[in-house]
């Protein structure tokens, strides 16, 4: 579990092809300072498991599905990436709850001088975005300024632009998206009731004793 507060801009130093994926070597002295094999690190918003650590670098294996569903498949040696360690119990939640499970990719549409950045996203994800809600872009927790059917905007402050890859993005660049996990869970829980209402049925409330005290 992460918070979307990037700790360090790392660098891809090597990419090794595997039978069904790839092994990345990433330079990140801050996030590797107290990391060990088996720990989770977020790389551009993707939760990866540390395989080895040496001299401020770590290696992580990425399966083929992750390479296809995220922007990690397009990484090259020398690329900069956003890095974050998994949060510890009791840490401040500076951003929002981020799982490191990419829901899809978006494309940068525009970046203006005030930091307003617009993205085109798959329409299937648009229902999870609301004005002033949370969205994770390349592992960065951001607040949605506005959202439409196939695009949304966020305000990237100068500090975020300087300390993350968002300051390196240009129109046409792909980015990883993770929508608010709470929205997905709420949708799943509400789905049976919404389906019943659509069919003209009144959902029945389960009686588990409640105020009557019946067991």
């Amino acid at each position: 579990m992460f918070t979307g507060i990037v700790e360090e801009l790392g660098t891809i130093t090597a990419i090794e092809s595997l039978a069904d994926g790839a092994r990345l070597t990433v330079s990140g002295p801050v996030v590797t300072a107290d990391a060990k094999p088996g720990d989770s690190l977020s790389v551009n918003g993707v939760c990866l498991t540390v395989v080895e650590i040496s001299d401020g670098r770590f290696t992580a294996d990425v399966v083929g599905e992750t390479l296809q569903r995220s922007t990690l498949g397009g990484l090259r040696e020398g690329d900069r990436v956003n890095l974050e360690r998994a949060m510890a119990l009791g840490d401040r939640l500076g951003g929002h709850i981020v799982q490191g499970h990419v829901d899809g990719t978006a494309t940068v549409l525009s970046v203006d001088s005030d930091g307003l950045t617009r993205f085109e996203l798959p329409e299937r994800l648009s229902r999870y975005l609301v004005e002033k809600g949370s969205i994770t872009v390349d592992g960065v927790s951001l607040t949605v300024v506005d959202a439409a059917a196939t695009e949304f905007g966020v305000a990237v402050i100068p500090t975020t632009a300087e300390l993350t890859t968002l300051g390196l993005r240009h129109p046409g660049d792909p980015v990883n998206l993770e929508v608010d996990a709470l929205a997905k869970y709420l949708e799943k829980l509400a789905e049976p009731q919404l389906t019943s209402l659509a069919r003209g049925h009144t959902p029945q409330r389960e009686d588990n004793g409640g105020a009557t005290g019946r067991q």
Side-chain angles (χ1 to χ4, degrees):
M1 196 73 70
F2 307 92
T3 70
I5 304 300
V6 172
E7 297 182 88
E8 179 179 18
L9 261 178
T11 304
I12 302 295
T13 61
I15 302 176
E16 176 187 354
S17 295
L18 302 177
D20 183 29
R23 174 166 291 187
L24 304 181
T25 301
V26 187
S27 174
V30 173
V31 298
T32 58
D34 60 353
K36 60 185 183 300
D39 283 355
S40 295
L41 292 176
S42 172
V43 178
N44 277 359
V46 181
C47 179
L48 299 179
T49 300
V50 174
V51 176
E52 298 175 351
I53 296 178
S54 177
D55 298 326
R57 301 180 180 185
F58 69 93
T59 61
D61 293 338
V62 187
V63 298
E65 181 183 5
T66 300
L67 294 175
Q68 294 173 5
R69 293 174 63 92
S70 73
T71 63
L72 296 192
L75 290 175
R76 299 291 182 266
E77 291 185 19
D79 284 350
R80 307 304 300 276
V81 289
N82 297 322
L83 302 177
E84 181 189 355
R85 287 169 288 192
M87 65 180 297
L89 189 64
D91 279 355
R92 289 185 176 88
L93 187 59
H96 69 283
I97 296 174
V98 177
Q99 295 179 304
H101 301 159
V102 171
D103 293 300
T105 59
T107 305
V108 178
L109 290 175
S110 62
V111 181
D112 68 19
S113 58
D114 294 327
L116 179 64
T117 304
R118 301 199 65 79
F119 301 89
E120 182 179 23
L121 80 162
E123 189 170 358
R124 63 183 175 82
L125 297 180
S126 64
R127 65 181 182 273
Y128 300 112
L129 274 65
V130 296
E131 185 177 342
K132 306 306 180 186
S134 296
I135 183 71
T136 307
V137 179
D138 270 354
V140 183
S141 174
L142 296 168
T143 300
V144 177
V145 173
D146 60 78
T150 58
E151 65 179 78
F152 70 97
V154 297
V156 179
I157 62 174
T159 299
T160 300
E162 178 184 356
L163 299 179
T164 74
T165 60
L166 296 184
L168 306 173
R169 297 291 177 243
H170 303 285
D173 288 347
V175 294
N176 293 321
L177 288 186
E178 180 184 332
V179 301
D180 193 340
L182 297 180
K184 291 190 291 185
Y185 283 119
L186 286 172
E187 179 185 56
K188 184 69 173 179
L189 290 170
E191 186 175 7
Q193 284 72 28
L194 294 175
T195 300
S196 294
L197 289 173
R199 293 175 177 173
H201 301 305
T202 301
Q204 298 297 314
R205 187 177 67 180
E206 182 179 351
D207 187 354
N208 60 358
T212 66
R214 290 187 287 114
Q215 303 295 321

